[in-house]
């Protein structure tokens, strides 16, 4: 996850934005409605992550209309979707997102999946447009200090399906 902040975004770890990263156990693993999907190579190298929480977007920095549309508790928010560059374009992110969404579908009370992304990261915008529906393009607003933030929504899968923590998807 730290790779994203330093290598992709270029601004590093920001405690106000990333408290989950220093408390994975409390944020994801110890919470029954949250999930952390981690892609690991056979040699134990972590090559990708996807997280899901029951917290909707916060205002500020996000518009109040999004906070109202995606209330905490009823919204499964995807975050920390990241695949190391040398492992991209093999279906890994898509498999991790599907696993997280299947988890959300199996948890009572979730109505939809929400996420926002920095479309300045190579491949991010195309990836999310292939899986989700844009609900708000914040680029003209200067949200997040002018980063290329676009907000998306995904439907929950029809059934919970495979909510296991182990997935296989073309890690090389």
């Amino acid at each position: 996850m730290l790779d994203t902040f330093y290598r992709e975004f270029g601004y590093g770890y920001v405690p106000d934005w990333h408290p989950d990263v220093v408390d994975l156990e409390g944020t994801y693993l110890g919470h029954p409605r949250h999930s952390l999907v981690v892609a690991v190579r056979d040699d134990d190298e972590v090559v990708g992550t996807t997280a899901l929480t029951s917290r909707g977007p916060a205002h500020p920095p996000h518009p109040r209309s999004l906070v109202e549309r995606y209330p905490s508790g009823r919204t499964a928010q995807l975050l920390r979707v990241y695949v190391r560059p040398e492992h991209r374009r093999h279906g890994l992110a898509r498999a991790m997102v599907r696993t997280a969404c299947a988890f959300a579908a199996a948890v009572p009370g979730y109505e939809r999946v929400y996420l926002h992304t920095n479309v300045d990261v190579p491949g991010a915008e195309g990836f999310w447009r292939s899986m989700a529906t844009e609900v708000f393009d914040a680029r003209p607003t200067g949200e997040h200090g002018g980063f290329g933030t676009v907000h998306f929504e995904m439907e929950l899968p029809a059934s919970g399906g495979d909510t296991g923590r182990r997935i296989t998807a073309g890690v090389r």
Side-chain angles (χ1 to χ4, degrees):
M1 292 180 195
L2 291 172
D3 276 355
T4 306
F5 311 143
Y6 288 97
R7 294 182 188 185
E8 300 287 347
F9 299 157
Y11 55 69
Y13 171 75
V14 179
D16 288 344
W17 296 349
H18 313 124
D20 59 305
V21 173
V22 294
D23 185 18
L24 297 176
E25 178 69 36
T27 303
Y28 301 112
L29 307 178
H31 195 293
R33 299 186 78 222
H34 295 182
S35 180
L36 178 63
V37 180
V38 179
V40 181
R41 283 175 34 129
D42 290 337
D43 61 2
D44 292 331
E45 176 190 5
V46 173
V47 298
T49 61
T50 296
L52 183 135
T53 70
S54 60
R55 291 186 298 272
H59 172 76
H62 307 298
R64 186 172 303 284
S65 61
L66 290 175
V67 174
E68 293 167 358
R69 182 175 178 157
Y70 302 107
S72 292
R74 296 192 332 240
T75 300
Q77 182 174 182
L78 283 172
L79 1 127
R80 313 295 177 237
V81 179
Y82 178 69
V83 174
R84 293 188 65 132
E86 62 272 23
H87 298 284
R88 293 179 184 163
R89 311 285 313 156
H90 299 289
L92 185 55
R94 191 172 303 275
M96 289 189 300
V97 167
R98 285 185 178 141
T99 298
C101 288
F103 173 86
V107 173
Y110 284 133
E111 296 173 358
R112 64 183 91 186
V113 177
Y114 158 84
L115 67 111
H116 65 272
T117 191
N118 181 340
V119 296
D120 295 332
V121 173
E125 185 170 9
F127 173 76
W128 288 115
R129 289 192 186 284
S130 76
M131 294 192 73
T133 303
E134 178 187 316
V135 293
F136 181 68
D137 185 340
R139 289 177 282 194
T141 71
E143 177 185 318
H144 275 156
F147 293 108
T149 304
V150 177
H151 300 263
F152 291 92
E153 177 179 308
M154 295 176 66
E155 295 294 321
L156 284 172
S159 65
D162 177 18
T163 61
R165 302 274 192 224
R166 188 176 255 333
I167 62 174
T168 304
V171 177
R172 296 178 187 191

